[in-house]
Amino acid sequence: MESSANILFLVSDPLDAGISIDRDLAALQDGLRQIEAAVRFDTHVAEADAVQGYLERGDRPQYRALHYLGHGFKAEKESSGFLIFERKDGNADALDATRLAYTLSANAGEFKLAIISACHSESVAGALFAVGAEHVLAIEGDKTVYEAAAIAFCRRFYQSLLTGNSLAKACDAGRRAIVNDETMRSLGEAAISREIAKFRLHSRPGADPAEFRIAAPAGEAELCDLPTLTQYPFDQRPPEFLGRQRDMRDLLDRLDGSRAAVLLGVSGIGKTELAKQTARRLVERRRVDASRVAFASLLNANSADEARREIARALNLKPDEIADDGALQRGVPRHALLILDEAENVIHADGLAFRRMLDALISAPARPRVIVTSQTDPGTEKAHVLPLRRISDLDAFRLFALHANLTPEQFDRIDRQQLIDLLEHLGRLPRAIELVARVWRHERGPNPESVDLAPLLAALRRDRDQVMADPRYAEEIKSVTVGIKYAYDRLRERDPKAAELWTHLGLFPAGVTKAALPAIFGPEAAERILEIQNQSLVESVMGALPPPLGDLIELPAPFRFFALRHLPNGDETAARNRIGDAVLRHYFDFPEEPHHGWIGVLDGLMSGGGQIMGLLIRRYSAELPSIEAWLDWGYQHEAVLDSRARSARLTAQLRNLYLLTDDLLNQHDRFTRALAVAVRHGDRAGEANVLQAMGDLLMRVADLAGARTSYEKALPIFREIEDRLGEANVLKAMGDLLMRVADLAGARASYEKALPIFREIESRLGEANVLKAMGDLLMRVADLRSDVRRVGNEWRW
């Protein structure tokens, strides 16, 4: 028996094929993972040049079998057919027998068995025999092979073949598995017989399937899948991507040529999802490394500098590493793919500077690929503009059926004219269609067989008339707003308090955690958010992360625009004032309070460091615009009690994140406002902590005199309020400052004051940092003085 068995798994999913194999591929792979044998399936996309290049390598495994999942074609009256591979631009590449032979013949005779799951798969058997295959198992797809039948057959077939049985017995085992599959049993005997007939084994003369075997030891199947994007925001993949295949082909063509494109279109038309799906495709086809894909949300950016900082975060760089356009050109990684999402705000606010930055990025010597999504053309000549159109009626039909969870039989009973009218009211915008379909699905719950669209259509007509006449809504978001209004009205009918809660979520520009809602809005909010989620009115933007990190919920831009206009009495200021103190209490807690401030939780997680530090920083940064928005409110309106200002102390606490993201340099105005609040309300601890943070900022910009002044103001306050940790931290910072100005004796004195305090309060990290700083100091002294000597473990002079 062999020590292992390797099978090459080729998949082909051209964008112009009409039918995607994504779902079939996922289901088949799940079935293959259940095989109890030490077999390895190496998955590759069927691009002729890439497959040929891989097979020509001398360091790859040897394969006993080839399994192809995709599409086939045979012209009428022709005996041989084509296997459909992919081209780089996403279109189909039909390989005839000659090209197929050249593609697969790098090691002639290596594949003794070929399993071909495609239309007209029997017609390519001759080409596979020509490259050394002895047996071809054709899974005919002229008519759809039921997913259940394919999974049942392949799982039992491989299990039988890889544990010692012959090919003939393995095929018989696979056919019998179809008979006993529960899903197939529910379809009836006629369907079972039809499916069994589609699995056909062909052997070339002299090859006996009763003698052919591929055995492997006991173990578990290993699927070496296509490379994937799993990091935020690519972690939540839609069930099916519909209506943008032609646009993706155009985008791939532009990226292959000029390496840059602008996806232009109204809100809700699907720009962001098209950009993300294109990134996934490039990674799966191994043309972009997953670690070099970056997604920068520019929704809250109002200047080119702010946009550059978001790009730095996306690239895991410090903002000062790409502080200008030249540094951006030098700093972008080689062959990166960068998505700049929702750029319209920064284009309106700082268009010329943003265009210059974009041109510099596209022209970088590292040759990055750049995709910009926007409602406004940035005006660059270095990127092709691809205006996105409304999706076709057919794709809109399919999208509605998918998100309404309709069976084929239910969809066939829908009045087509009603559906066409409904989709026209939604402007055939994907986001609006998805939203309304999900809400309608929820409403049909008590009577799922009802497919009457008349009540839904009547409601949308009323909504459309109101929205289209409302000057508060920009033209580019009116169509998607019709869908939002319908979902909001249904929510308000079911639970007015839940609808009111939803409008308040618009006050959080970068979302808020679900756990915060009961603390801010009362215990009933925990149930009301579930009702809101049922209406699909929020997005879980980091849902793949474990709780509590994955509990961030957010309103997409047009949803937030709508929510803010439907706050009670339409008064955003009053709404903020009602909940502002509770929001700040959620973010920051005083020691005697019974809850844990959310920013303290995030800080605690980051203090653990480790491999997930980058993920934690991205998660923290994603919510930061909400935190800062409420700080801006707090500086003016916070109700300060007992001479303690949460907004001031919370600002100082953000110092850790600002340091890690190198965004501290941009916080001078924020620290100044926080300091004024602390002084105004007599919050000595807040004042000292902000002064320390301000000193750290001034150190970064080399204003050493200003930093020393801040530290010297903070130190006596920490001593006055007996904050030993704050005192020790400032002494350590003062020592660092004195090192910078070459006052080595002063630095040593400051470190020697800080060290016993860290030991007293058992701060091992603080102690370690001071010891390291003292070591650096003594090494520097040793370089400068000849009378320094080592005594035991200490340096003395």
Side-chain angles (χ1 to χ4, degrees), residues 59 81 122 193 231 238 309 315 320 338 609:
D59 58 352
E122 287 183 300
S193 297
Q231 70 266 31
R309 288 199 291 274
L315 293 171
D320 64 354
L338 184 59

Side-chain angles (χ1 to χ4, degrees), residues 582-625:
V583 173
L584 290 181
R585 199 159 51 244
H586 159 67
Y587 288 135
F588 181 89
D589 61 331
F590 292 122
E592 75 279 3
E593 291 178 333
H595 70 287
H596 296 288
W598 177 234
I599 304 309
V601 172
L602 290 175
D603 273 349
L605 290 171
M606 288 203 307
S607 68
Q611 295 181 343
I612 65 167
M613 176 61 81
L615 178 63
L616 289 169
I617 291 173
R618 285 198 297 273
R619 169 59 183 82
Y620 200 160
S621 300
E623 195 176 353
L624 184 60

Side-chain angles (χ1 to χ4, degrees), residues 359-549:
D359 288 347
L361 177 63
I362 296 169
S363 304
R367 298 181 60 80
R369 294 179 175 93
V370 180
I371 304 173
V372 181
T373 76
S374 178
Q375 296 178 36
T376 305
D377 187 350
T380 177
E381 295 182 356
K382 295 184 180 296
H384 288 276
V385 175
L386 296 177
L388 294 194
R389 300 164 289 273
R390 265 68 170 176
I391 61 176
S392 68
D393 284 340
L394 178 59
D395 286 323
F397 288 172
R398 294 170 61 198
L399 191 65
F400 183 84
L402 176 69
H403 290 281
N405 201 26
L406 294 172
T407 66
E409 293 77 14
Q410 289 170 334
F411 185 71
D412 287 341
R413 290 194 285 111
I414 286 182
D415 185 296
R416 285 297 183 271
Q417 189 56 52
Q418 286 185 345
L419 182 56
I420 290 172
D421 290 346
L422 182 149
L423 296 172
E424 282 301 314
H425 280 294
L426 299 175
R428 298 200 311 279
L429 292 177
R431 183 180 284 279
I433 295 169
E434 292 172 16
L435 175 60
V436 170
R438 290 172 184 165
V439 175
W440 187 62
R441 177 180 69 190
H442 185 65
E443 290 183 332
R444 288 170 59 239
N447 187 16
E449 293 306 311
S450 173
V451 293
D452 181 14
L453 291 177
L456 170 60
L457 185 56
L460 287 178
R461 283 174 177 151
R462 291 193 302 270
D463 292 341
R464 185 172 179 84
D465 290 343
Q466 292 179 32
V467 170
M468 291 302 173
D470 193 334
R472 295 178 303 169
Y473 296 107
E475 289 297 325
E476 60 267 21
I477 69 167
K478 283 188 173 181
S479 291
V480 74
T481 300
V482 173
I484 299 170
K485 185 177 188 305
Y486 174 76
Y488 169 72
D489 287 345
R490 300 293 79 73
L491 176 64
R492 190 171 55 178
E493 290 170 5
R494 297 168 65 91
D495 188 341
K497 291 295 185 181
E500 183 177 320
L501 170 62
W502 179 76
T503 64
H504 283 78
L505 299 183
L507 300 170
F508 297 82
V512 62
T513 63
K514 285 195 291 185
L517 300 183
I520 297 171
F521 298 99
E524 301 84 2
E527 289 189 12
R528 287 173 183 152
I529 190 59
L530 298 178
E531 189 67 33
I532 292 170
Q533 288 179 303
N534 285 338
Q535 295 294 96
S536 302
L537 281 167
V538 292
E539 289 186 351
S540 296
V541 292
M542 290 191 168
L545 297 179
L549 298 174

Side-chain angles (χ1 to χ4, degrees), residues 1-8 31-41 63-65 67 113 115 153-171 173 212-223:
M1 183 175 288
E2 298 184 21
S3 60
S4 63
N6 298 310
I7 295 172
L8 181 60
L32 295 177
R33 288 188 179 93
Q34 299 177 33
I35 295 169
E36 296 175 353
V39 57
R40 171 182 167 128
F41 293 88
Y63 296 103
R64 298 295 307 279
H67 191 137
L113 170 64
I115 300 101
F153 178 93
C154 289
R155 185 172 59 228
R156 190 64 51 78
F157 165 79
Y158 278 118
Q159 186 68 59
S160 178
L161 180 66
L162 295 167
T163 53
N165 282 325
S166 69
L167 175 59
K169 284 188 175 182
C171 287
F212 181 84
R213 287 175 170 78
I214 301 177
E220 295 182 355
E222 179 185 6
L223 256 77

Side-chain angles (χ1 to χ4, degrees), residues 148-149 152 155 176-186 192:
R155 185 172 59 228
R176 285 192 292 271
I178 295 174
V179 176
N180 287 318
D181 182 79
E182 289 185 9
T183 302
M184 293 306 303
R185 297 297 303 169
S186 69
I192 291 173

